[in-house]
Structure formats: C-alpha cells, structure tokens
C-alpha cells in the first residue's frame, strides 16, 4: 500500500511536470523582419 | 489526339485530374483506381473526355501519351514498370524509384520523372530558379510542411521516423541525430518546427549538383484525432501545406541568400505539379521538361522558369522572402 501511494505520487508529479512543460512551450516565436512577396510578372524572371 | 492515363483517385489524384482535363490539347483522360467505382465517379465529375478504366492489373492502354501515378507503394511501382514496358513517359509523386527502375527506363528510352510533388518537386523548381541567380551555390536548405490525404500523412510520419541525412561536400552524412529547427513558411502556415530528413535530398542534389551542403526538413504530420489535437504539439493544418527553399551562394562577388516559398492546399500544389509534368511529357506544353530517358528528379529535367510560370497560371504561385532572415 505504501509503495502504491509512492507510485501514485510520482505519477502525479510527472503529469504535473508534463503539463507545465506543455504549456510553457507555447511561448511566442521570435518575430521576423520582412515578409513574402508573390513572384509574378517581372519578379518571375 | 492526346490521351493521359491517371492512376490513383486520392486527394492528389483528384486535383491532378482537374488540371489535366483543363490543359488545352488533352482530349481524353483515363482514370484507373484500385476502386473502379471511384475511378468512374471521378471521370463522370470531369467532362465527356474522361472515363474510368476497369483495372485488371497494371496495363497501359494503346494510344496513351503519358501516365500520371499518384498512388504509392507496390501499385506505383507496378504502374511505372508497366508504362516503361509500354514505352510511355511517366510522372509520379514518389521519390526513390531510381535504383529499381532507372536501368529499365534507360534501356527502353522512356523518361520517368519521380518526385513530382511539393517536396521533392515544387521545392526543386524553386531551388533551381534561385540557383540560377548565383555565380556559385554553396548551400540549399529545403523545408516542407503539411500533407494531402491520409496516405500522405502516413508518408510524412515514416519519412520523419527514418534515419536523417544531408549532403555535405559531395558525400552523405547520416550519422547525427538532429533536433528540430524553426522554419518560417509563408502564411497561413507560418512558423513550424521541422526535422531533418533524408527524403528529397537526392532530388535536390540532382537539381543543384554544385551545392556543397543540401538539407531537407519536414514538419510533423498534421494531427487529426480528437485527443491528439489537444495533447500533441503537431499543427492542425486542415490541408494547408507549404514549401520553403533557402539558397546561399556567391552573387556579384558577395555572399547572398535567396529565399523562395509557396503555400496552398498540399493536394492542390502536388496535383498541379504532377499534372503539369505529365502533360509536358505528353508534348502538350513544349519547353517545360527535357524528356530524358531514365528515372529523373523533376528539378533535373524541368526548365524552372517556364514551369513556375505555368504553375502560376494554374494558381500555384511562388513567393520570395524579403527582409532580415530570422535565426532560430
């Protein structure tokens, strides 16, 4: 019984850590300077 | 009278069929599928010149000018082999046919264009077009995001699970475990984590043989299940896909980098590329492809500028990145 409680505690901590890492990974990505321009006409040279 | 045979009625096959029948000069489209009812249904939805082919094994009918293979696996190889035996040019989505079918195709004098999809395929056209701007090309980095149908999702997963590799200084390097890298695609795909893969590298090397470093990165397959869309970090693309090509080299005495990309529904892009390749091989669009016997990458035989112009006319437009390249 004691081992079961310890196991559940470890599993719970692992799940908690996983959730924290999962949502901390949603930080915004580095911004870019510039943009995309369609290649057409003279640009598609 | 030009007749084109389309094999496969998946997401890409459906888009390719529409592109083929809309090509001036194409008067007849035959559709073959493992499911004959699906082939008949697709043909009926097109126009009077299209008809489903009752499939009794891979047999190319007489008077076919080109074959488009959009299926995968063993059936794709059977159909390519049948087309080579019949002396009919082939365009196929799938890469890696060379070791098995190159020698028979060369012996028969039949051009087989493999990897006519998004990456490889469209990305190689963009790489060639960018490389033509340089006096010397040092590096080509290709990336791709998105998948067409369920078969394509499976292909993405298997490619990412395989051993990665890159072309460096004239040799294969496949002994490093690389982490993912952020890649900036055109919107709406945007920024994605992409992982180094080996698929498509050979096609890019064949397209730009002078490049000292060639890498290809693929984004993860889109999540589709209820649980996976909530738990996993893979994107929900709803059919959208993109490709991005970054070419670095020497131009006018200075090192420069050119970035080209394209974004659309993955099936639309792949369908347009493979269909345009096939009708060009059939002689309906002269000057787009140099029909060379053997199994060849699209970028190796296509004339990039007119091919990209033709694709733009079909709605698949390329774009150039202008600005400061972000460093991940």
């Amino acid at each position: 019984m004691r081992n079961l409680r310890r196991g559940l505690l470890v599993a719970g901590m692992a799940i908690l850590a996983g959730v924290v890492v999962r949502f901390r990974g949603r930080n915004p990505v580095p911004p870019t300077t510039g943009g995309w321009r369609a290649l057409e006409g003279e640009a598609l040279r | 009278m030009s007749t084109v045979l389309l094999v496969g009625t998946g997401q890409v096959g459906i888009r390719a069929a529409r592109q083929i029948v809309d090509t001036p000069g194409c008067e007849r489209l035959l559709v073959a599928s493992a499911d004959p009812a699906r082939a008949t249904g697709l043909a009926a939805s097109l126009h009077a010149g299209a008809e489903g082919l009752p499939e009794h094994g891979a047999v190319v009918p007489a008077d076919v000018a080109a074959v488009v293979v959009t299926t995968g696996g063993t059936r794709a190889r059977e159909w390519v082999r049948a087309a080579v035996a019949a002396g009919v040019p082939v365009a196929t989505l799938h890469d890696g046919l060379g070791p098995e079918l190159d020698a028979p195709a060369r012996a028969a004098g039949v051009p087989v264009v493999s990897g006519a999809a998004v990456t490889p395929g469209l990305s190689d056209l963009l790489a060639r077009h960018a490389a033509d701007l340089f006096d010397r090309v040092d590096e080509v980095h290709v990336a791709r995001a998105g998948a067409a149908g369920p078969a394509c999702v499976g292909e993405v997963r298997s490619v990412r699970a395989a051993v990665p590799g890159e072309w460096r200084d004239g040799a294969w390097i496949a002994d490093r475990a690389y982490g993912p890298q952020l890649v900036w695609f055109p919107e709406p795909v945007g920024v994605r984590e992409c992982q180094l893969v080996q698929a498509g590298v050979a096609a890019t090397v064949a397209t730009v043989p002078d490049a000292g470093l060639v890498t290809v990165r693929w984004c993860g397959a889109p999540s589709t299940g209820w649980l996976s869309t909530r738990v996993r970090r893979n994107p929900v693309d709803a059919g959208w896909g993109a490709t991005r090509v970054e070419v670095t080299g020497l131009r006018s005495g200075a090192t420069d980098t050119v970035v080209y990309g394209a974004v659309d529904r993955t099936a639309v892009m792949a369908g347009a590329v493979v269909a345009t390749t096939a009708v060009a091989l059939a002689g309906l669009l002269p000057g787009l492809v140099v029909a060379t016997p053997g199994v060849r990458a699209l970028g190796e035989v296509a004339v990039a500028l007119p091919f990209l112009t033709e694709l733009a006319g079909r709605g698949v437009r390329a774009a150039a990145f202008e600005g400061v390249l972000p460093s991940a």
Side-chain angles (χ1 to χ4, degrees):
Chain A
M1 193 64 188
R2 191 176 184 182
N3 288 339
L4 179 63
R5 275 202 217 102
R6 285 183 177 173
L8 287 173
L9 181 65
V10 169
M13 291 174 66
I15 291 171
L16 188 63
V19 167
V20 169
V21 170
R22 171 76 177 81
F23 286 100
R24 279 180 63 86
R26 287 185 173 172
N27 293 334
V29 296
T32 62
T33 303
W36 292 89
R37 173 183 55 82
L39 286 179
E40 52 192 359
E42 286 293 315
L44 196 56
R45 54 193 184 279
Chain B
M1 179 170 172
S2 291
T3 301
V4 175
L5 169 62
L6 170 70
V7 180
T9 52
Q11 294 288 317
V12 177
I14 292 170
R15 270 67 173 201
R18 171 56 62 191
Q19 295 286 344
I20 293 167
V21 297
D22 285 347
T23 303
C26 180
E27 297 167 356
R28 190 163 168 244
L29 173 68
L30 301 176
V31 183
S33 172
D35 181 356
R38 197 171 162 86
T40 307
L42 174 59
S45 70
L46 296 170
H47 73 147
E51 56 186 276
L53 191 70
E55 188 177 332
H56 304 293
V59 178
V60 178
D63 300 331
V64 169
V67 178
V68 188
V69 180
T70 64
T71 58
T74 309
R75 288 192 72 241
R77 292 174 190 280
E78 288 174 357
W79 274 102
V80 172
R81 200 175 291 114
V84 168
V88 179
V90 189
T92 175
L93 302 173
H94 298 281
D95 203 8
L97 297 171
E100 181 184 348
L101 294 167
D102 184 48
R106 284 175 189 258
V110 176
V112 177
V113 180
S114 68
V118 177
T119 298
L122 177 57
S123 58
D124 297 323
L125 296 172
L126 295 172
R128 185 65 260 166
H129 185 47
D132 289 341
L133 300 173
F134 290 88
D135 303 319
R136 188 192 75 209
V137 176
D138 296 326
E139 300 181 10
V140 180
H141 302 288
V142 177
R144 161 215 164 129
C152 192
V153 169
E155 175 76 7
V156 170
R157 286 179 180 146
S158 65
V159 163
R160 283 169 53 92
V163 176
E166 65 182 26
W167 181 260
R168 185 184 289 270
D169 298 328
W172 281 101
I173 307 292
D175 57 353
R176 288 174 59 190
Y178 298 89
Q181 178 177 329
L182 284 177
V183 176
W184 278 255
F185 293 99
E187 297 294 341
V189 172
V191 184
R192 294 293 169 84
E193 280 186 349
C194 293
Q195 173 187 312
L196 201 72
V197 299
Q198 193 165 345
V201 177
T204 308
V205 171
T207 302
V208 190
D210 299 336
L213 174 61
V214 175
T215 65
V216 176
R217 287 178 170 82
W218 282 23
C219 177
S223 295
T224 51
W226 179 87
L227 183 62
S228 61
T229 53
R230 284 159 175 78
V231 175
R232 300 183 68 183
R233 296 178 64 181
N234 289 343
V236 185
D237 280 329
W240 283 99
T243 186
R244 180 185 189 276
V245 176
E246 183 176 322
V247 177
T248 301
L250 197 67
R251 181 156 68 152
S252 303
T255 300
D256 197 3
T257 299
V258 170
V259 181
Y260 286 155
V263 63
D264 206 318
R265 302 280 175 182
T266 306
V268 170
M269 288 192 288
V273 170
V274 75
T276 303
T277 305
V279 293
L281 287 172
L284 299 177
L285 296 172
L288 264 62
V289 170
V290 179
T292 311
V295 178
R296 309 282 181 171
L298 176 61
E300 195 179 355
V301 295
V303 185
L305 178 56
F307 204 111
L308 288 170
T309 306
E310 175 67 25
L311 287 178
R314 292 171 181 262
V316 178
R317 298 180 183 280
F321 181 82
E322 292 182 339
V324 179
L325 291 171
S327 55

